[in-house]
């Protein structure tokens, strides 16, 4: 494991056609097609957009951070799923993602440690490198099931 405090992540983008491009990374085997959202002029349906990727980055960071903190806390759970919804609004004449609602659903064997789980989730959201890098309001609304 690399204990350095600095890490880099290279992503390359190549314009393909119309309003579409291809994202790749030299360290990843797959690529992602991206496009302008269909809500905008000449936008395209059924293709990942920068807005989807932004929300996905926050959501997947929550999961990765939760898994790390839960493991370090020896917290047992059965499953983790998370829904995230980003809201884009026009502020001062500019479009911005103003809010991301995270709704993780965690299934646990018992509710005996529900308070500990809630603390782990809150700590996970606060420790997420991506959330810490943005000015967008992030709201955490966990759902806990047995």
């Amino acid at each position: 494991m690399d204990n350095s405090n600095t890490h880099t992540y290279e992503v390359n983008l190549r314009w393909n056609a119309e309003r579409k491009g291809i994202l790749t990374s030299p360290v990843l085997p797959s690529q992602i097609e991206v496009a302008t959202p269909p809500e905008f002029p000449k936008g395209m349906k059924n293709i990942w957009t920068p807005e989807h990727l932004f929300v996905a980055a926050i959501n997947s960071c929550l999961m990765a951070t939760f898994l790390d903190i839960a493991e370090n806390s020896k917290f047992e759970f059965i499953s983790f799923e998370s829904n995230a919804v980003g809201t884009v609004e026009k502020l001062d004449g500019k479009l911005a993602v103003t809010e991301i609602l995270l709704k993780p659903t965690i299934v646990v064997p018992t509710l005996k440690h529900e308070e500990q789980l809630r603390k782990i989730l809150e700590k996970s959201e606060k420790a997420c490198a991506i959330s810490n890098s943005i000015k967008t309001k992030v709201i955490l609304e966990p759902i806990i099931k047995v």
Side-chain angles (χ1 to χ4, degrees):
M1 182 173 135
D2 183 359
N3 290 325
S4 170
N5 288 329
T6 303
H7 308 282
T8 59
Y9 301 89
E10 182 179 345
V11 175
N12 301 305
L13 175 63
R14 184 185 77 249
W15 171 70
N16 196 6
E18 301 168 337
R19 299 290 173 110
K20 294 188 294 187
I22 302 292
L23 286 173
T24 60
S25 175
V27 298
L28 299 173
S30 60
Q31 59 186 28
I32 300 172
E33 185 176 45
V34 294
T36 300
E39 297 81 13
F40 298 104
K42 299 185 182 177
M44 307 182 89
K45 291 182 178 181
N46 303 318
I47 300 175
W48 282 85
T49 67
E51 292 79 1
H52 286 110
L53 296 171
F54 186 75
V55 174
I58 301 298
N59 204 15
S60 56
C61 187
L62 174 70
M63 181 196 72
T65 309
F66 170 80
L67 294 174
D68 184 56
I69 293 171
E71 181 181 334
N72 288 335
S73 301
K74 299 189 181 353
F75 186 84
E76 292 185 27
F77 63 97
I78 296 167
S79 66
F80 176 100
E81 292 182 21
S82 186
N83 173 265
V85 177
T87 301
V88 174
E89 296 179 275
K90 192 172 258 190
L91 297 177
D92 300 323
K94 297 178 184 178
L95 290 172
V97 179
T98 57
E99 178 180 288
I100 296 175
L101 174 61
L102 297 172
K103 287 188 151 185
T105 300
I106 297 90
V107 177
V108 293
T110 174
L111 289 178
K112 188 166 79 172
H113 303 290
E114 181 179 358
E115 189 58 36
Q116 181 188 10
L117 173 56
R118 291 189 183 279
K119 287 179 182 175
I120 289 171
L121 283 164
E122 288 173 19
K123 187 175 180 182
S124 299
E125 194 279 317
K126 286 180 179 21
C128 170
I130 308 302
S131 293
N132 290 334
S133 302
I134 63 170
K135 61 183 179 180
T136 302
K137 180 180 181 182
V138 177
I139 301 166
L140 183 65
E141 290 184 1
I143 300 164
I144 300 168
K145 296 181 178 180
V146 178

